[in-house]
Amino acid sequence: MRMTVADVMTRKVVSVTAATPFKEIAEALITGGISAVPVLNHEQHVIGMVSEADLLRKEEFREQFYREGYRPPLRARLRRPKGRQKAEGDTAADLMTGPAVCVSYEASAVEAARLMDTNDVKRLAVIDGDGCLLGIVSRRDLVKLFLRPEEEIAAEIRDDVLDRTLWIDTSSVTTQVRQGVVTLSGRMERRTEAAIAVRLAGRVNGVVGVIDELTWNTDDSTQEAR
């Protein structure tokens, strides 16, 4: 079973429009206990994101701090033109970061994690095939994958990896899961098949690591190399 974004995303999303005033955005963040809101157009398409950091630009660039000898850190100075523009903004259209980084609800959790890393963002807007907002997936949502019950992880490895995917006799293989770490033990016919089993087990959502205690009857790894 491949975990998709739809399996882990937050479906109840607080959103704003481009015309939403600064104060209403701040209230939405505080009331909702969230750190960012998507900005939607009239077709419910995501055109940007407004985060707590975007709102704080107004404080960061206040002139009074400069008169007091305040000097912004290097990171702030490098983004100064855009930061000052946001500091002067009054609506979501002025404050948002756009275009928003979006992901399909059908994408795998792994794809979402890689997209966050590539774009250096903490959350993604989840969209359907028409580009309309369905939810939000955050880093925290993805971390929850590692909280899967150990019995569930073991069952998936047993049923989907060993019994269905490999198409070989794995009846002598034992699967144990403790604190997210999978231990595969027992005997298989070929060394390469044992290596494949270990690799596929490591791809299962919620697996922290795999301990390979498998043995084999035939070492075909040398033949594969040739």
Side-chain angles (χ1 to χ4, degrees):
M1 181 182 69
R2 186 189 72 156
M3 282 287 203
T4 66
V5 170
D7 295 321
V8 297
M9 71 181 187
T10 299
R11 297 175 182 274
K12 188 176 181 180
V13 180
V14 178
S15 62
V16 298
T17 67
T20 302
F22 183 104
K23 203 158 190 176
E24 286 186 23
I25 299 172
E27 289 175 355
L29 294 178
I30 297 301
T31 303
I34 51 181
S35 58
V37 289
V39 184
L40 308 182
N41 62 15
H42 65 283
E43 296 176 334
Q44 297 301 297
H45 292 166
V46 186
I47 58 175
M49 282 274 194
V50 178
S51 68
E52 293 170 325
D54 293 322
L55 298 187
L56 288 175
R57 298 288 186 269
K58 196 169 286 291
E59 290 299 317
E60 179 182 353
F61 287 88
R62 284 191 188 279
E63 291 298 327
Q64 67 186 64
F65 296 124
Y66 291 91
R67 290 198 300 272
E68 294 170 359
Y70 168 74
R71 180 174 174 76
L74 177 60
R75 184 177 177 184
R77 295 200 300 274
L78 291 175
R79 65 170 183 250
R80 183 169 179 172
K82 184 177 291 187
R84 182 165 291 282
Q85 179 182 346
K86 289 188 177 185
E88 296 171 352
D90 297 319
T91 65
D94 304 322
L95 300 162
M96 72 180 188
T97 299
V101 183
C102 301
V103 66
S104 168
Y105 73 100
E106 297 177 314
S108 68
V110 173
E111 290 177 76
R114 290 175 178 170
L115 195 57
M116 286 183 193
D117 183 60
T118 300
N119 292 276
D120 192 25
V121 295
K122 299 178 181 179
R123 65 197 67 79
L124 304 170
V126 184
I127 57 175
D128 62 16
D130 295 322
C132 295
L133 181 69
L134 291 179
I136 293 288
V137 62
S138 67
R139 289 177 178 175
R140 177 174 294 184
D141 293 325
L142 297 180
V143 169
K144 289 177 183 177
L145 291 173
F146 292 103
L147 300 181
R148 291 184 69 192
E150 294 179 349
E151 316 81 66
E152 188 177 305
I153 294 173
E156 181 175 341
I157 293 174
R158 176 79 259 168
D159 298 339
D160 292 349
V161 174
L162 297 177
D163 291 347
R164 295 196 189 112
T165 304
L166 291 179
W167 287 54
I168 55 176
D169 181 16
T170 58
S171 57
S172 63
V173 176
T174 301
T175 304
Q176 293 182 320
V177 184
R178 183 177 178 81
Q179 295 295 317
V181 178
V182 177
T183 300
L184 293 179
S185 57
R187 197 167 191 86
M188 296 182 68
E189 182 58 35
R190 300 175 182 275
R191 182 175 184 175
T192 54
E193 293 169 346
I196 292 172
V198 171
R199 188 165 64 249
L200 292 179
R203 295 179 180 177
V204 171
N205 289 120
V207 172
V208 176
V210 180
I211 297 175
D212 179 8
E213 294 183 352
L214 293 169
T215 57
W216 55 87
N217 296 326
T218 303
D219 185 355
D220 60 337
S221 58
T222 304
Q223 299 173 14
E224 287 290 324
R226 294 176 184 173

